[in-house]
Amino acid sequence: MLLGTFACTTPTTFSLLNNYNNNNNNNNNNNNNNNNNNNNNNNNNNNNNNNNNNNNNNNNNNNNNNNNNNNNNNNNNNNNNNNNNNNNNNNNNNNNNNNNNNNNNNNNNNNNNNNNNNNNNNNNNKKISKTR
């Protein structure tokens, strides 16, 4: 359209037309460059956001793992304590059994001694009655 309009003009007009076209081309190039820069910036921002999200997820996972480890350690400690308590209970029970056995033995010995003493007394009484 422009060429048709200025077909019969002076060389100066052609020069102006060239300048106009060049300016338009430059402006278009600038716009394209700006668009490309904006797109690149948006992509970079998106990448940064994704990276931040990934970091947050990783941190959350680490925290969860740490919590799980702590729970496992607590469970292990509790199990160890339970085992120790059970061992102590077993030891106490064994001690009680031993004490009971000792008591029974002592009682038996006492009974035997008493029986022997009674027998001796009876024998002595018999002897005394015979001598009378």
Side-chain angles (χ1 to χ4, degrees):
M1 294 293 290
L2 288 176
L3 285 176
T5 306
F6 295 112
C8 303
T9 56
T10 62
T12 304
T13 307
F14 278 113
S15 174
L16 289 178
L17 181 60
N18 278 343
N19 283 348
Y20 174 80
N21 283 343
N22 283 345
N23 282 348
N24 271 352
N25 284 345
N26 284 345
N27 282 346
N28 283 344
N29 283 346
N30 282 347
N31 282 345
N32 283 344
N33 283 345
N34 282 345
N35 283 345
N36 282 346
N37 279 346
N38 282 345
N39 283 344
N40 282 346
N41 282 346
N42 282 344
N43 283 345
N44 282 345
N45 282 345
N46 283 345
N47 282 347
N48 281 348
N49 282 344
N50 283 346
N51 282 345
N52 282 344
N53 283 345
N54 282 346
N55 281 349
N56 283 344
N57 283 346
N58 282 346
N59 282 346
N60 282 345
N61 282 347
N62 281 350
N63 282 346
N64 283 346
N65 283 346
N66 282 347
N67 282 347
N68 283 347
N69 281 348
N70 282 345
N71 282 347
N72 282 347
N73 281 348
N74 281 346
N75 281 347
N76 281 348
N77 281 347
N78 281 348
N79 282 347
N80 282 348
N81 282 347
N82 282 349
N83 282 347
N84 282 347
N85 282 346
N86 282 346
N87 281 347
N88 282 346
N89 280 350
N90 282 347
N91 282 347
N92 282 345
N93 282 345
N94 281 346
N95 281 346
N96 280 350
N97 281 345
N98 281 345
N99 282 346
N100 281 345
N101 281 346
N102 281 345
N103 279 349
N104 281 345
N105 281 345
N106 281 346
N107 281 345
N108 281 344
N109 281 346
N110 275 348
N111 281 344
N112 282 344
N113 281 345
N114 281 346
N115 281 343
N116 280 343
N117 281 343
N118 281 343
N119 281 345
N120 282 345
N121 279 348
N122 282 343
N123 282 342
N124 280 341
N125 282 342
K126 282 181 189 173
K127 283 180 189 173
I128 288 173
S129 65
K130 277 187 185 176
T131 53
R132 285 184 183 167

